[in-house]
């Protein structure tokens, strides 16, 4: 660390925000246009503070250069100015503030009354916050050797996403060295990479790993924010995920993780939270933004508080010019400096607002679309916020893809017997053209998922009818009640063999539907291993085995892992199972078959009365491999194997008929009610399926 009491501070420059080390000293620049003065606060190894007043103000940016200050130096800011909460000014010299552009942050928030922004009387709460808040860290040019690192650039049509948690994936991984478990190094370990590539996924979507802290109310219960949707450092890798140190080492470790994942052919998608910050409501802790320019960083409700469309107490004003610059600078930094491959933007609808008005031409979307770096990476919107007006599924413009909760809800409802027919199921299986085709997007605009970090795991989805969130300390009031789950006859764990057999089949049905539907499948970490959260559908505050992935495979659920590997291998090998374009419902070649045909249990094509049948519980799908759009490497029309899928959610077994005209014979590839029988089946053959069964058949053409 640099000396705690440097003798001089020079004017420096305003052009690059944050702390920029040049080998001889560090330039500090922070935007606080309404402040009357800003102090740079430097801390030595025992926490002694030296304050240096930043000498220059240029275009709203306070700046100064300090010779001799280098990497590893702890620092923060204090901003003086007017106190006018309703006008958006909350300046206080008692608040030590993080640098919004800090490349590394060390420490967390220790609850203390001095952290509160406003007391019940509307006055600033006295007391110095410095002992209780994290500190920014100067990061230098680390000369990281990227070598021949190359982005996998996996086409969207070939992408399979694995949503996972940096800590949770390897915290219990015995084959990963103990010091690396639950860290960026653990994610980068050969054992982890081998598991992911063997499974067949092509990208990891990492839950928030920008620096975050836990909410005071959560800490007061003896819990933590485990998921990380409480960001306070838009440029800083989360320090607790570093095994090598937190004085800038977390930056190198994150880079090494990305490099190792790329070498294994895996893309890195970051789940980023720019819609709100860890400062929360107006009476929450002052940590960074509100102490520098509260009225600019947050949307105001016009009553002295924040407009809250995120459910987290505050909403970031991303439409403001300087805040928009901060967010896009952050995204560009993670792409150019850290080599990530894309973003899943949390509550993206909240970032499309002018005040309380939704605008799909919002500055954020426009800025990303015109940015030559950002528009070329994978962009996934969570297309809603905490309001009904923010529900924008199907509305985001290209090049955005979207989490498709209509897929989730429709598939869950079908397999639990609450779908009211098969019409909407057919739309979701075939890429949700009703949502995405009208603005020239392609099927990969739909990120299909059955489960995510938020909600029941796959195993719990077939084990519980209701949530069981008692461990969260909120009297089981938190978390959604709209789970669309079915416990298969008994609430919670049971030894009943009939219930267990049905649960195992139902979990396989849901997973198979996800992996073989048109669109981009997103698999939630641990679902392929039968991970349970004991019925908790909001485990954001549980940092322990209930949230971590167990690498000890439960024998009763091992079929899910084997099935996932099989179906992802088939998906990768056969373009007919990962369509590039929406289906036409007609032959695409002279004399060819329809690219897709929908079948009744009798093997006939669905008619109007069949589609209108609200009691239908069985649907067949014929995918014609000789009716694909596009050309192969030789310029010839693409051709592939044809398949028939059967989805039966009825309470009783059903006999289904394999189509007569479209194959020389059929081979059973996979079914969830029994092992597949490889014996050829004649066209028109009848096949018996148990209740609640998914089955896949290869249609072999006679030459």
């Amino acid at each position: 660390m640099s000396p705690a009491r440097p003798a001089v501070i020079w004017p420096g420059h305003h052009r690059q925000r944050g702390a920029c080390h040049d080998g001889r000293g560090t330039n500090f620049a922070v935007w606080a246009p309404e402040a009357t003065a800003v102090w740079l606060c430097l801390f030595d190894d025992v926490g002694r503070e030296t304050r240096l007043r930043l000498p220059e103000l240029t275009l709203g940016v306070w700046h100064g250069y300090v010779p001799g200050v280098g990497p590893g130096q702890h620092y923060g800011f204090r901003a003086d100015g007017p106190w006018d909460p309703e006008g958006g000014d909350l300046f206080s010299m008692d608040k030590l503030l993080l640098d919004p552009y800090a490349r590394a942050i060390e420490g967390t928030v220790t609850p203390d009354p001095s952290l509160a922004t406003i007391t019940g009387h509307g006055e600033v709460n006295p007391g110095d916050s410095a002992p209780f808040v994290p500190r920014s860290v100067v990061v230098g040019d680390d000369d990281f050797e990227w070598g021949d690192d190359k982005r996998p650039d996996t086409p969207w049509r070939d992408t399979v996403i694995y949503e996972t948690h940096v800590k949770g994936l390897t915290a219990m991984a015995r084959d990963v060295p103990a010091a690396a478990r639950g860290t960026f190094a653990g994610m980068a370990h050969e054992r982890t990479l081998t598991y992911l590539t063997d499974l067949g996924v092509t990208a990891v979507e990492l839950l928030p790993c920008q620096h975050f802290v836990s909410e005071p109310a959560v800490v007061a219960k003896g819990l933590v924010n485990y998921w990380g949707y409480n960001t306070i450092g838009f440029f800083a890798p989360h320090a607790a995920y570093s095994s090598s140190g937190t004085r800038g080492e977390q930056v190198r470790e994150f880079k090494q993780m990305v490099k190792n994942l790329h070498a294994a052919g895996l893309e890195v998608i970051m789940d980023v939270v720019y819609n709100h910050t860890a400062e929360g409501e107006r009476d929450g802790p002052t940590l960074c933004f509100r102490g520098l320019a509260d009225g600019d960083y947050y949307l105001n409700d016009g009553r002295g508080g924040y407009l809250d469309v995120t459910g987290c107490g505050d909403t970031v004003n991303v439409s403001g010019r300087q805040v928009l610059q901060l967010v896009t600078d952050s995204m560009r930094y993670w792409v150019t400096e850290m080599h990530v491959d894309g973003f899943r933007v949390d509550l993206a609808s909240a970032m499309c607002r002018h005040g309380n008005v939704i605008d799909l031409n919002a500055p954020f979307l426009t800025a990303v679309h015109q940015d030559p770096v950002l528009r070329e990476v994978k962009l996934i919107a969570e297309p809603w916020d905490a309001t009904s007006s923010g529900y924008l599924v199907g509305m985001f413009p290209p090049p955005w893809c979207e989490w498709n909760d209509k897929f989730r809800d429709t598939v869950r409802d079908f397999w639990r017997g609450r779908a009211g027919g098969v019409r909407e199921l057919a739309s979701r299986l075939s890429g949700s053209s009703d949502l995405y085709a009208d603005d020239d997007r392609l099927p990969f605009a739909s990120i299909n998922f059955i489960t995510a970090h938020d909600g029941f795991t796959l195993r719990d989805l077939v084990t519980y009818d209701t949530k069981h969130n008692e461990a969260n300390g909120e009297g089981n009031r938190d978390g959604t009640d709209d789970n669309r789950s079915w416990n298969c006859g008994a609430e919670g764990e049971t030894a009943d063999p009939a219930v267990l057999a049905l649960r195992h089949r139902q979990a396989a049905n849901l997973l198979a539907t996800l992996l073989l539907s048109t669109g981009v499948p997103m698999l939630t970490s641990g679902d392929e291993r039968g991970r349970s959260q004991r019925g908790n559908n909001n485990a954001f505050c549980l940092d322990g085995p209930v949230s971590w992935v167990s690498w000890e495979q439960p024998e009763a659920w091992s079929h899910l892992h084997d099935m996932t590997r099989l179906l992802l291998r088939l998906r990768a090998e056969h373009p007919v199972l990962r369509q590039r374009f929406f289906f036409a419902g007609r032959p695409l070649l002279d004399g060819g078959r329809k690219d897709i045909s929908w079948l009744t249990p009798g093997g006939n094509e669905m008619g109007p009365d069949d589609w209108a049948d609200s009691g239908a519980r069985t649907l067949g799908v014929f995918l014609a491999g000789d009716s694909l759009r596009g050309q192969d490497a030789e310029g010839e029309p693409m051709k592939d194997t044809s398949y028939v899928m059967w989805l039966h959610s009825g309470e009783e077994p059903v006999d289904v008929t394999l189509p007569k005209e479209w194959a020389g014979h059929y081979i059973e590839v996979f079914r969830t009610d029994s092992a597949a029988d490889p014996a050829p089946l004649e066209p028109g053959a009848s096949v018996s399926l148990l209740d609640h069964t998914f089955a896949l058949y290869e249609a072999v053409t006679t030459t």
Side-chain angles (χ1 to χ4, degrees):
M1 181 178 286
S2 303
R5 299 183 181 277
V8 65
I9 183 168
W10 299 339
H13 63 82
H14 73 286
R15 293 182 298 277
Q16 189 172 355
R17 309 283 173 84
C20 301
H21 178 63
D22 63 6
R24 299 180 299 276
T26 301
N27 189 86
F28 296 89
V30 61
W31 183 69
E34 302 302 320
T36 57
V38 175
W39 275 261
L40 169 67
C41 307
L42 303 176
F43 296 87
D44 66 13
D45 285 332
V46 295
R48 290 176 299 193
E49 179 182 352
T50 298
R51 299 184 187 180
L52 298 171
R53 182 167 177 164
L54 292 175
E56 295 286 336
L57 174 64
T58 305
L59 301 177
V61 178
W62 293 88
H63 53 93
Y65 179 90
V66 186
V69 168
Q73 173 70 57
H74 281 169
Y75 73 98
F77 298 111
R78 296 181 189 270
D80 202 359
W83 175 256
D84 178 16
E86 292 189 4
D89 291 326
L90 294 172
F91 296 104
S92 171
M93 286 294 291
D94 289 327
K95 307 303 180 187
L96 180 69
L97 307 174
L98 288 167
D99 179 358
Y101 277 77
R103 266 54 171 180
I105 295 172
E106 185 172 58
T108 187
V109 175
T110 304
D112 186 87
S114 68
L115 297 181
T117 304
I118 303 173
T119 67
H121 302 289
E123 300 294 334
V124 64
N125 199 337
D128 189 354
S129 69
F132 311 104
V133 297
R135 291 164 188 178
S136 307
V137 181
V138 175
V139 175
D141 183 0
D142 60 9
D143 297 323
F144 182 80
E145 291 292 339
W146 284 104
D148 58 356
D149 178 67
K150 185 178 180 181
R151 301 184 191 281
D153 281 332
T154 306
W156 266 121
R157 64 181 180 273
D158 301 335
T159 298
V160 179
I161 297 171
Y162 191 79
E163 188 203 38
T164 191
H165 188 283
V166 169
K167 181 175 183 179
L169 183 60
T170 65
M172 295 194 293
R174 294 182 179 178
D175 292 342
V176 173
R181 294 173 196 162
T183 70
F184 297 129
M187 182 67 67
H189 192 268
E190 181 181 1
R191 175 68 178 89
T192 310
L193 303 178
T194 299
Y195 176 79
L196 294 171
T197 53
D198 177 72
L199 189 62
V201 300
T202 69
V204 292
E205 182 176 303
L206 303 179
L207 266 65
C209 47
Q210 295 169 320
H211 195 84
F212 62 86
V213 296
S214 296
E215 301 90 330
V218 173
V219 175
K221 297 172 187 172
L223 303 170
V224 298
N225 189 316
Y226 166 70
W227 287 349
Y229 291 89
N230 209 41
T231 304
I232 197 63
F234 290 162
F235 293 80
H238 188 54
Y241 295 161
S242 173
S243 67
S244 53
T246 55
R247 287 282 180 84
E249 294 90 347
Q250 59 264 54
V251 178
R252 292 184 61 86
E253 190 166 320
F254 186 95
K255 290 179 178 179
Q256 189 63 56
M257 176 191 71
V258 173
K259 183 178 179 179
N260 287 11
L261 285 162
H262 282 177
L266 296 166
E267 292 184 305
V268 180
I269 298 171
M270 288 180 61
D271 194 336
V272 289
V273 186
Y274 296 119
N275 61 81
H276 72 279
T277 78
E279 292 185 309
E281 298 178 359
R282 209 22 107 59
D283 61 354
T286 294
L287 304 173
C288 179
F289 308 102
R290 66 160 53 110
L292 294 167
D294 179 76
D296 293 287
Y297 277 110
Y298 298 113
L299 292 175
N300 195 289
D301 65 2
R303 302 186 300 274
Y306 294 139
L307 179 68
D308 180 12
V309 303
T310 66
C312 300
D314 60 35
T315 303
V316 174
N317 180 23
V318 185
S319 292
R321 287 180 296 173
Q322 296 294 333
V323 183
L324 176 62
Q325 179 181 335
L326 170 74
V327 170
T328 53
D329 282 353
S330 168
M331 294 175 70
R332 200 177 302 109
Y333 171 79
W334 289 99
V335 174
T336 59
E337 298 297 322
M338 309 295 261
H339 288 208
V340 304
D341 303 281
F343 303 95
R344 179 265 188 188
V345 178
D346 182 66
L347 298 184
S349 297
M351 302 176 67
C352 302
R353 291 180 179 269
H354 285 297
N356 199 24
V357 178
I358 292 285
D359 179 9
L360 287 172
N361 292 309
F364 172 70
L365 297 180
T366 301
V368 170
H369 184 73
Q370 64 81 41
D371 190 292
V373 173
L374 299 181
R375 69 189 181 208
E376 297 301 326
V377 301
K378 284 185 164 67
L379 297 168
I380 303 170
E382 183 183 32
W384 51 78
D385 56 25
T387 70
S388 58
S389 63
Y391 186 76
L392 303 177
V393 173
M395 300 183 191
F396 272 74
W400 289 88
C401 299
E402 298 175 5
W403 270 24
N404 185 353
D405 68 332
K406 291 184 181 295
F407 178 94
R408 175 198 65 195
D409 293 349
T410 299
V411 174
R412 287 187 181 190
D413 280 347
F414 173 77
W415 284 113
R416 71 185 182 125
R418 304 284 185 85
V422 296
R423 177 184 292 273
E424 187 167 1
L425 176 68
S427 179
R428 303 300 156 235
L429 292 174
S430 56
S432 295
S433 60
D434 58 325
L435 298 175
Y436 304 113
D438 59 349
D439 57 4
D440 296 325
R441 285 192 284 178
L442 296 171
F444 59 69
S446 178
I447 307 298
N448 297 334
F449 65 105
I450 301 294
T451 65
H453 64 276
D454 186 4
F456 279 152
T457 66
L458 180 67
R459 177 173 170 179
D460 289 354
L461 194 63
V462 300
T463 304
Y464 298 91
D465 275 357
T466 59
K467 66 188 181 186
H468 297 268
N469 295 358
E470 290 79 8
N472 298 356
E474 297 186 34
N476 202 34
R477 294 184 300 273
D478 63 307
T480 183
D481 292 311
D482 184 20
N483 295 293
R484 303 181 188 230
S485 60
W486 178 39
N487 64 20
C488 299
E491 185 70 359
E493 296 299 328
T494 181
D496 187 319
V499 172
L500 289 175
L502 180 55
R503 286 178 180 176
H504 297 157
R505 195 156 70 248
Q506 281 286 78
N509 294 334
L510 289 159
L511 195 52
T513 307
L514 170 67
L515 300 180
L516 294 181
S517 290
T518 298
V520 176
M522 186 187 80
L523 178 66
T524 302
S525 180
D527 274 356
E528 79 283 8
R529 305 182 69 80
R531 187 175 75 86
S532 172
Q533 292 176 170
R534 303 171 193 165
N536 195 313
N537 73 355
N538 189 35
F540 82 100
C541 56
L542 303 182
D543 184 5
V546 71
S547 294
W548 301 342
V549 174
S550 173
W551 289 53
E552 301 297 324
Q553 176 71 60
E555 181 62 31
W557 297 91
S558 62
H559 67 297
L560 296 181
H561 183 262
D562 296 339
M563 184 192 76
T564 300
R565 293 179 67 246
L566 168 66
L567 296 187
L568 287 182
R569 177 178 60 79
L570 288 174
R571 184 183 181 95
E573 292 174 352
H574 296 287
V576 73
L577 298 176
R578 45 184 173 84
Q579 296 278 335
R580 295 176 57 192
F581 303 97
F582 287 112
F583 292 100
R586 56 179 173 79
L588 298 178
L589 298 173
D590 291 339
R593 299 170 291 190
K594 293 181 180 179
D595 54 357
I596 189 169
S597 300
W598 303 99
L599 307 174
T600 68
N604 302 310
E605 290 198 63
M606 296 274 288
D609 291 342
D610 300 309
W611 288 117
D613 183 1
S614 62
R617 301 282 291 271
T618 308
L619 180 65
V621 190
F622 186 91
L623 301 174
D626 59 355
S627 193
L628 294 173
R629 296 189 190 183
Q631 298 177 332
D632 61 21
E634 285 73 38
E636 298 296 324
M638 289 187 65
K639 291 187 178 182
D640 190 23
T641 304
S642 298
Y643 287 96
V644 177
M645 290 187 285
W646 289 103
L647 298 87
H648 172 58
S649 65
E651 301 292 336
E652 301 295 333
V654 67
D655 291 335
V656 296
T657 301
L658 298 173
K660 296 179 180 179
E661 299 87 1
W662 300 331
H665 65 273
Y666 293 88
I667 299 293
E668 198 167 70
V669 177
F670 164 79
R671 55 191 292 168
T672 59
D673 61 350
S674 65
D677 184 346
L681 294 165
E682 294 299 317
S686 179
V687 177
S688 294
L689 304 177
L690 282 183
D691 61 286
H692 303 96
T693 292
F694 183 110
L696 177 69
Y697 294 85
E698 179 183 347
V700 181
T701 303
T702 302
T703 57

